[in-house]
Structure formats: C-alpha cells, structure tokens
RNA sequence: GCCCGGGUGGCGGAACUGGCAGACGCGUCGGUCUCAAAAACCGAUGGCCGAAAGGUCGUGCGGGUUCGAUUCCCGCCCCGGGCACCA
C-alpha cells in the first residue's frame, strides 16, 4: 500500500514533460483508419514572454486536441511562429541586436513556455516564417499568383503609416483611420506598389460565407460588410467642352439609384480625380478648384473617414449631359467624393441623398423631387407630372426610401427606391441606348502587399530597364534575405547594393532587384497548409497530405483577425484550390474567437502595468492549475476577468481530486459490503457527469464541464464520508479513474501522474479512450416533481420516473400544503410537465 | 446614425427546445482539529418580514403573450465591440 503524498505540481510537471518528449507522445502520424481532426490555434508572433492571452488561446486548443484524441480521432495539433514583422526591427534598434537574433531568441523562450504549459504540439511540424525553408515557398506563391494574373504593380493613393514608415493595406487601417499595429494616424500618398488581386474573388468570398456554419455570425457579418457588395448601374455622362458642346468622351459613374437620374442636377469629381486638372488648368475656375483640392489634401484620414469634414466644393466651369433627359449639368469638385470607391465620380441627386442635399443647399443648387414618399402631400401635386414643374423641394432633408417616381419622363408613376422596379426600368432603358448597364460594385480593394521594411519576405521580382517587371524564375528561388543590413542605422534592402544589384533574368542586362518585402499577412495566409507537410523540401506541400488534413476542423484565435488574417487566408485557399493544391475552398470549418483576459476591467498589457506573468503563476501553482483556472472562469468566447483567488481555488480543487484518487488507490478493494442505495446514487452521478462533460466539451462549455467534474468529486467525497465502511470500493476505484480521464485534457500532468504512478497503469492517460456512459444508468429512477398553485411553488412530490400524469396529479392534490392554498378555489386547469412539474390553476368559485 | 454582442447574488458565472433562478467556484460568516495559527474538513450564505414554520419581492426599465418568462413579442435605458461621406 502506497503512502499518499501531497499534490506537488513542481515535482510532476517537468517530469512528465520530458517523459512525453522521450516517448514522442505528441508526434502525429497520419492514420487513415481513424477520422482526422485538425485542431489549430492562430500561431503567435514571437514578441517575447508569453502572456495570458496566449495561455487562454492555447489552453482551449489543447483541451480540444486532447479530448478529440481520446475520442478516437487522428489529431493534428501543430504550432509555429509568425516570425517576420516590424516589432523585431524596433527591438533590434533598441537593443542593438539583429532582428533575426531577437526573433529566434524569443521563439526559443516561447517554446519553453509552451512546453511548461504542457501543450501537446507536434515538435516535428514547427514552422517559423522567417526560415528560408518556409519563406521561399511564400515567394513561390507570389510567382504562382503572378502567373495567374493575380499580381499587379500600380500607382494609386495608398495608406502610409508615418510611424512604421511603410504602406498598409486597407484592412490594416482600422477604427478612425489608424494603423492596426501602432495606432498612428495614417496618411494618403500616391505611390506605386504591389497588389494581390483579391477583388477577383470578392463574390466568392462573400457567397461562401454562407457555407461557414461553424463561424460566429458576427465575424461573417464583419467580412460581408467589409466586402461591401452593392448592386446598381454604371451610367455614362457625355463630357462637354468649354463652350458647352458635347465631346466624344464620357465620364462613368456608379450608382445604386439610377431611378433618381431625373433628379440629377449636378455632377461631382473627387479632388484626386485625374480629370480635375485636365478640365481646369488655365481656366478662371482653376484657382477655386485648386483650393478645394488643397483642403481635401490637408484633411486627415480621421476627418475624412468620419464624415465630419465640412463639405466644400468648386465649379469646374464644365458640364456633362444627363443621358436620360439631355440636360446639361455642371461638374463640381468636392471633398466628399472618394477616389477609391466606384469611379471617383458621382451623379448628385440632392432630393435623394443627404450628402448631395446638403451640398446643394450650401451652394444654391436646385433640388427637384423625383422620388416622393407615399404619404407626402407633394405626391398629389406631382403624381402625373412627367416634365419638371417643381425645380426645388422644401424638404428639410433628402428622402432615400421607397416612393413614387415623379418628374421622371416615361418612368413617372413607377416605384422608385433601392433595387426597385424603376431602378431596373431606367437601367434597361440606358442599356438599350448604350449609355448605362447593370453593375455590381465592391468596397473591397485589392490587397496591397509590398512593405518598405527589412524584416520580411523579399518580393521575388526584378526591375529591368528594357524588359520592365520580371519575375524571378522559380529555379532561382529563394531570394534570400541578406543578414548584413544594419537596421540600427535605418537601413533597408534599398540601401544594400549587394542585394539589389542583379541581372535581368530575361535579357541578362543589369537590373535592379525589388527591395520591398511582403506584408507579413502573406506569411500567415498559408502556414496551416504547410503544417500538413512541414519538412517538404521539393514542394510547398504534398497535395495528398493536405488532402488528408485540410480543412482545419477547429480554428481558435482572437476576434481582432475577423477581417484581416481570416479574409486573406480564405482568399489564398481559394487560389490554392484553383491551382489544384487542395480541394478545400475554405480553410477553416469551425471558428472560435476567444475572449480577452482582463484585469480590473481592462485588457492586460505591459504598458498598463496590469499584466500577470504566466510564468510566475506556473511557478507558484503549476501549469495545470493555471490551465484549469483560465478555462473555468468564463466560457471561451467571453472576456475573462483575472482573479488570483480563483486560481488558488482551482489549485485547491486539483489538490482535493489528487487526494481522493490517492486515497482510493491506496485502499484495499475488498472487504466491504456496499450500501446499495448510496452506491446507486454515486453510480448515477458518475454516468450523468460523463455525459455532461462529453457534451459540454463538444460545445465549448469548457467551464461547465469542469463544474460537472467538481460535482462528481463532491458526490464521491460525500459517498466516501457518509457511507463509511459500507461504501462501494470497486465503484470508488471506477470513479477515481473516470475523474482522472475526464480531467486529462485540462490538467495533463496531474492526470498522468495519477494514472500511471498512483493508479498504476502502464500506458499514458492521453492514450486512453474517453470514458463511456450509459444514459440508462444516468437516469434517476425516482424524480421530484414541483407542485405549483397559481404559478407559485407550494410543494414537491417524489414519484417513480415513469409515473404517469394521473399518479402525479393525485399525489400533488393530496399534499396538505396544496390543499391549503386551494381552499375556497376551484381548480380550472392542471398542466403536467413529465418529470418536472405540475401546475395547478385555480380561481375563486 | 447603422449592425452585432451583453446587462442574473458581494464577485466570476449556471439554467437543454418557456418549467424549482442562482449549478460550480471565489469571497464572507460560523464550526471541527490545534497551545495557537495556517492548511484541511464540516455548515451557512439573493433582498426584505419573521424566533421559527413560513411569507414576500427578485434576472437593466416599462408593457404584452402564457397555467408558467432570465428565455418569446413590443417600446426604452445602460455597457462593450464593429462599421460609418461607399454614391
């Protein structure tokens, strides 16, 4: 008989970590005989020490992975590092080390922490995106996209972060126009940059959101809003010369409301529109227009994006012809027209658009009503007016809802509004005459992927004076990022002649290598494929291996990537599918966005000084207690408030469980005469809890699953104490083993120590099948029925579980308490909910 | 302004398709053990009235549906997040 010893995580956690490593417990082998499950957490940026957000993210994933393995799945659970990026450069400047050194040191540090946490990652599949063996395939993807005409280099107004000193993609400008990484206000600059044509996939990216049943609605909504599909029409307006006569050229606008064309009384160009200068240079209007252009240029992104900037405008002196009525309307320039949406030109309909309305009022332009609400008195007056009889409406604001079209020629009387009959009729009319067509416009822009930074994946392209842009041939990959760039002096690849001086792969003449690197989001858009075949040196991955594991069955990460990483990854996956590299068109079947870890109501962070270091907690309470605590305190998708006393409570719980299992393991299993009734209660509880825990984990009720385990431990302790010598020791052993198995995904070290050393099993607890349960044994044979009189609980009756309604009713109506409350009343109705409740309705006689 | 979440004891949180509100844990109070303390264990713990039995109120606020509402419907308030001159 063993002497039971206290629970000491320090003694057991390290021990099992090395045993598991020696046994290769976490190394994954593809096994076609079992169903596969790919469990993935977003790979970390190697920022240094791990924080509670990591602990939470990876603890959730580890429970899912270990639980799935015990349930019989062939589980892939890998980890890696998103290792390129600006923080390494900033840290390098600060501490005078090389970004590579800083990065690899941090990766080692984090990897030790992950091991100390007991996460079950396959060490043979680790990828680090700054390894040449990894990023060369990122370059290969770039070339493949180029072959498929999905790469473009073009000049355009782009987002520039003055602090990061690089351009940003639209998705990376968040909130009130700030950089996603450093929160600086971004500026607009006209620059030539590299783009991935994600807009080619806009429709599919939108449509396939509907297939993602395992994603939170809120993430899908955010993506749909970001893609921003709107249906409408393109309309061509003929441009007039300075004398007012139509020229051959046209300007096209996008509108969702072609039904309001008859109310279009002016026309607008964005200040950045190339035609602005062309139309006004050397005219009396030039100065006024230039003033507006200058105002717009001065506005910060915040002001412009918030719509708070005052609407200013200037007449260009030119006119266009409204295709529906031949009217010549003036062309203005205004700061409320955006160059990067639609065509940068807008048909202004002041009666139907609040912005146009305000502009018209400010500049004295007419506001003829063309779509009138059904209850507007104006409708009677204008119902049959085909020609414009009312040039200016008295409304206080524009009306953009549905209504009747008036003063609209042949279309007068039709229904107007978004996607209305009138909208379709006008568009068809335009299409017949070749001056318009149905069109769909997306808010999504192409993905700007070039970055003017050193610590990233070099773009494999060459600028040749005679051949233009030339891709680096596949057999010349990788373009290796040189290590001898002195970042502390602010150098980039553009300062490194040894890197950029090259010959043209096409004409062999001297040429300049591209010195921009790729957005780090390109690295994170395919790493989950690479995990399937992480060490392949001949190909990005073997499609057969990707075919085995992909798509990811459960992805877990922060909501901050609702658009960014998750949208880019969906795009890459669709391209890979089109290339035949995978059959998956969506990378992540189920997505869990975990909540944040907070303290005193605020996000934990070093800068706020409220961060609790996971390593300190591991040292004091052990990794298992930390894992159990962080999973118990809140459901995974909700924010969690840190509470040190809660962690201590979880440590105590593990101690109680430890003691129970130890005591049971130490006792002789013979020589007692079990008390049947007491044992039956414990047996029932054992089966009920196994069922509850199983179902809860499947639905991410990780906190309630733990609560159920606590209930079973409480019941087992009660049994042990109450039944004394009459307790059922065989059942106790069964319950002790069951609890050890149930807690294994949460507390991998303690459960292993209990399973192997205390309970004496040979094979790891993490290789055991998940405990089974029998619903029949879990069901109570007697149930307590609540008796209500007029909605208030007045008593309870205990009946057998299969008692019929009549039995329940008779028992309930025999209760003295019930009779007391029924005195002087007549029973009108009795509702019986089987197994739960009986409700008696009575009213005065 | 629009779109999502959310509001339950002193605290974190439970409550499957409408059926005993507050599981489980923390904290607090009382007790056992101890010379004492810690640990551990046992018990109590939503408010109000009551010695108790019991009664009564109670899931942000106001209505409604229902035998019965934290759950469903209508109208508000507050908190968090996302989007926002998108033509």
């Amino acid at each position: 008989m063993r002497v039971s010893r206290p629970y000491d995580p320090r003694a057991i956690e390290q021990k099992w970590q090395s045993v598991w490593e020696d046994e290769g417990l976490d190394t994954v082998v593809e096994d076609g005989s079992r169903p596969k499950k790919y469990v993935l957490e977003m790979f970390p940026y190697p920022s240094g020490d791990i924080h509670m957000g990591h602990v939470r993210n990876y603890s959730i994933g580890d429970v899912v992975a270990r639980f799935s393995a015990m349930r019989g799945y062939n589980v892939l659970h890998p980890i890696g590092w998103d290792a390129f990026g600006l923080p390494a450069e900033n840290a390098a400047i600060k501490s005078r080390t090389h970004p590579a050194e800083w990065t690899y040191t941090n990766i080692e540090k984090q990897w030790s922490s992950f091991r100390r946490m007991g996460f079950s990652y396959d060490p043979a599949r680790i990828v680090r995106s700054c390894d040449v063996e990894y990023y060369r395939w990122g370059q290969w993807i770039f070339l493949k996209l180029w072959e498929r005409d999905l790469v473009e280099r073009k000049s355009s107004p782009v987002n520039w972060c003055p602090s990061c000193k690089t351009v940003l993609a639209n998705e990376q400008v968040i909130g009130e126009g700030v950089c996603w990484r450093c929160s600086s206000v971004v500026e607009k600059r006209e620059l030539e940059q590299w783009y991935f044509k994600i807009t080619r996939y806009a429709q599919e990216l939108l449509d396939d959101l509907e297939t993602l049943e395992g994603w939170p609605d809120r993430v899908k909504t955010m993506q749909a809003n970001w893609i921003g599909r709107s249906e409408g029409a393109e309309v061509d307006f003929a441009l007039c010369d300075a004398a007012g006569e139509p020229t051959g050229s046209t300007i096209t606008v996008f509108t969702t409301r072609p039904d309001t064309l008859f109310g279009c009384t002016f026309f607008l160009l964005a200040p950045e529109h190339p035609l602005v200068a062309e139309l006004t240079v050397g005219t009396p209007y030039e100065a006024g227009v230039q003033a507006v252009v200058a105002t717009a240029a001065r506005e910060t992104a915040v002001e412009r994006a918030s719509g708070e900037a005052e609407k200013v405008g200037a007449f260009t002196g030119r006119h266009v012809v409204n295709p529906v009525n031949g009217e010549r309307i003036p062309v203005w320039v205004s700061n409320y027209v955006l160059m990067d949406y639609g065509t940068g030109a807008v048909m202004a309909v002041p009666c139907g658009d609040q912005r146009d309305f305000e502009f018209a009022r400010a500049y004295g332009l007419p506001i003829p009503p063309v779509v009138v609400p059904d209850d507007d008195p104006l409708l009677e007056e204008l119902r049959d007016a085909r020609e414009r009889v009312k040039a200016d409406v008295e409304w206080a604001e524009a009306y953009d809802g549905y209504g009747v079209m008036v003063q609209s020629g042949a279309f007068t009387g039709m229904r107007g509004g978004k996607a209305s009959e009138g909208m379709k009729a006008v568009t068809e009319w335009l299409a017949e005459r070749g001056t318009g067509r149905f069109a769909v416009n997306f808010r999504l822009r192409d993905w700007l992927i070039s970055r003017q930074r050193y610590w990233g994946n070099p773009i494999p392209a060459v600028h040749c004076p005679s051949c233009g842009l030339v891709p680096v041939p596949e057999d010349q990959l990788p373009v290796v990022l040189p290590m001898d760039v002195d970042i502390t002096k602010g150098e980039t690849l553009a300062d490194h002649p040894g890197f950029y001086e090259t010959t043209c792969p096409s004409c062999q003449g001297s040429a300049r290598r591209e010195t921009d690197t790729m957005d780090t989001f390109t690295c994170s858009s395919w790493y989950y494929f690479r995990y399937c075949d992480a060490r392949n040196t001949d190909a990005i991955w073997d499609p057969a291996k990707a075919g085995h594991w992909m798509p990811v069955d459960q992805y877990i990460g922060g909501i901050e990537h609702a658009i960014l990483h998750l949208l880019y990854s969906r795009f890459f996956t669709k391209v890979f599918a089109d290339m035949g590299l995978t059959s998956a068109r969506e990378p992540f079947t189920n997505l869990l966005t975990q909540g944040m870890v907070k303290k005193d109501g605020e996000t934990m962070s070093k800068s706020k000084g409220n961060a609790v270091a996971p390593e300190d907690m591991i040292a004091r309470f052990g990794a298992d207690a930390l894992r159990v605590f962080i999973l118990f305190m809140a459901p995974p998708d909700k924010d969690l408030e840190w509470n040190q006393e809660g962690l201590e409570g979880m440590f105590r719980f593990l101690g109680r469980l430890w003691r129970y299992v130890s005591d049971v393991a130490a006792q002789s299993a013979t020589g007692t005469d079990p008390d049947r009734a007491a044992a039956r209660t414990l047996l029932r509880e054992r089966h009920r809890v196994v069922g509850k825990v199983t179902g809860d984990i499947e639905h991410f009720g990780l906190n309630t699953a733990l609560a159920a385990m606590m209930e079973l431990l409480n019941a087992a302790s009660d049994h042990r104490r109450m039944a004394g010598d009459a307790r059922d020791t065989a059942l106790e052993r069964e319950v002790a083993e069951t609890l050890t198995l149930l807690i294994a995904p949460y507390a991998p070290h303690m459960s292993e120590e209990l399973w192997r050393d205390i309970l004496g099993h040979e094979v790891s607890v993490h290789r055991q099948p998940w405990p089974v349960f029998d619903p029949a044994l879990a069901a109570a044979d007697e149930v307590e029925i609540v008796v209500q009189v007029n909605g208030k609980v007045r008593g309870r009756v205990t009946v057998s579980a299969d008692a019929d309604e009549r039995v329940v009713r008779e028992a309930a109506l025999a209760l003295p308490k019930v009779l007391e409350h029924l005195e002087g009343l007549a029973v009108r109705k009795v509702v019986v909910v089987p197994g739960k409740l009986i409700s008696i309705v009575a009213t005065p006689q």
Side-chain angles (χ1 to χ4, degrees), chain A residues 240-311:
Chain A
C240 297
D241 59 22
E245 292 309 311
T247 63
S249 59
T250 59
I251 314 180
T252 302
V253 298
F254 173 78
T255 177
T256 54
R257 295 294 304 279
D259 54 303
T260 63
L261 257 171
F262 286 85
C264 173
T265 50
F266 55 102
F267 192 92
L268 294 159
L269 294 175
E272 301 86 358
H273 199 287
L275 267 176
V276 170
E278 204 180 311
L279 298 183
T280 57
V281 167
T283 70
Y285 302 98
E286 185 177 5
V289 167
Q290 280 311 309
V292 172
V293 172
T295 305
R298 259 200 319 276
E299 280 170 8
T300 64
V302 183
E303 289 164 345
R304 189 131 184 209
S306 68
E308 277 156 17
E310 197 194 339
K311 292 173 179 49

Side-chain angles (χ1 to χ4, degrees), chain A residues 104-364:
Chain A
Y104 282 109
T105 305
N106 282 346
I107 287 174
E108 282 313 305
K109 215 159 145 192
Q110 285 196 351
W111 175 236
S112 327
S113 294
F114 289 168
R115 279 183 38 114
R116 272 193 288 282
M117 283 300 299
F119 298 140
S120 59
Y121 297 123
D122 181 349
R125 290 173 192 263
I126 288 174
V127 301
R128 301 175 295 198
S129 67
C130 61
D131 287 347
V132 155
E133 298 76 34
Y134 183 85
Y135 72 69
R136 63 171 299 161
W137 297 110
Q139 295 173 2
W140 182 83
I141 292 168
F142 182 93
L143 297 180
K144 293 295 151 185
L145 291 183
W146 202 338
E147 280 173 22
R148 305 182 74 82
D149 190 29
L150 291 168
V151 174
E152 185 181 19
R153 189 171 162 86
K154 68 178 180 196
S155 183
S156 156
V158 298
N159 307 298
W160 171 266
C161 174
S163 160
C164 298
K165 295 189 169 50
T166 185
V167 296
L168 297 170
N170 276 11
E171 291 78 20
Q172 294 157 25
V173 179
I174 57 167
E176 303 272 89
V178 301
C179 171
W180 71 284
R181 187 191 285 114
C182 72
S183 300
S184 307
V185 174
V186 304
E187 300 164 3
K188 283 278 177 192
R189 288 194 183 182
E190 181 76 25
L191 290 171
E192 193 173 303
Q193 296 292 325
W194 292 93
Y195 293 83
F196 283 166
K197 295 184 184 173
I198 190 172
T199 53
R200 289 270 189 87
Y201 286 84
Q203 189 66 54
E204 194 190 337
L205 286 166
L206 181 66
D207 290 343
D208 286 356
L209 285 174
E210 283 169 33
T211 69
L212 298 176
E213 285 166 22
W215 281 39
D217 287 340
R218 121 179 123 121
V219 174
K220 289 190 278 188
T221 307
M222 282 165 77
Q223 290 216 356
N225 289 343
W226 186 260
I227 295 166
R229 183 182 196 274
S230 44
E231 280 184 25
E234 286 175 354
V235 183
D236 305 328
F237 286 70
L239 180 63
C240 297
D241 59 22
E245 292 309 311
T247 63
S249 59
T250 59
I251 314 180
T252 302
V253 298
F254 173 78
T255 177
T256 54
R257 295 294 304 279
D259 54 303
T260 63
L261 257 171
F262 286 85
C264 173
T265 50
F266 55 102
F267 192 92
L268 294 159
L269 294 175
E272 301 86 358
H273 199 287
L275 267 176
V276 170
E278 204 180 311
L279 298 183
T280 57
V281 167
T283 70
Y285 302 98
E286 185 177 5
V289 167
Q290 280 311 309
V292 172
V293 172
T295 305
R298 259 200 319 276
E299 280 170 8
T300 64
V302 183
E303 289 164 345
R304 189 131 184 209
S306 68
E308 277 156 17
E310 197 194 339
K311 292 173 179 49
V312 293
F315 178 44
T316 61
R318 300 286 280 268
H319 292 79
V320 290
V321 179
N322 185 339
V324 290
N325 55 12
E327 202 170 55
R328 283 166 63 253
I329 55 174
V331 178
W332 287 62
V333 171
S334 175
N335 60 339
Y336 78 90
V337 181
L338 307 176
M339 190 59 218
D340 54 10
Y341 184 79
T343 61
V346 170
M347 56 174 250
V349 182
C351 73
D353 181 289
Q354 188 58 23
R355 294 155 303 169
D356 298 343
F357 184 90
E358 286 166 19
F359 191 85
R361 280 281 158 88
Y363 289 93

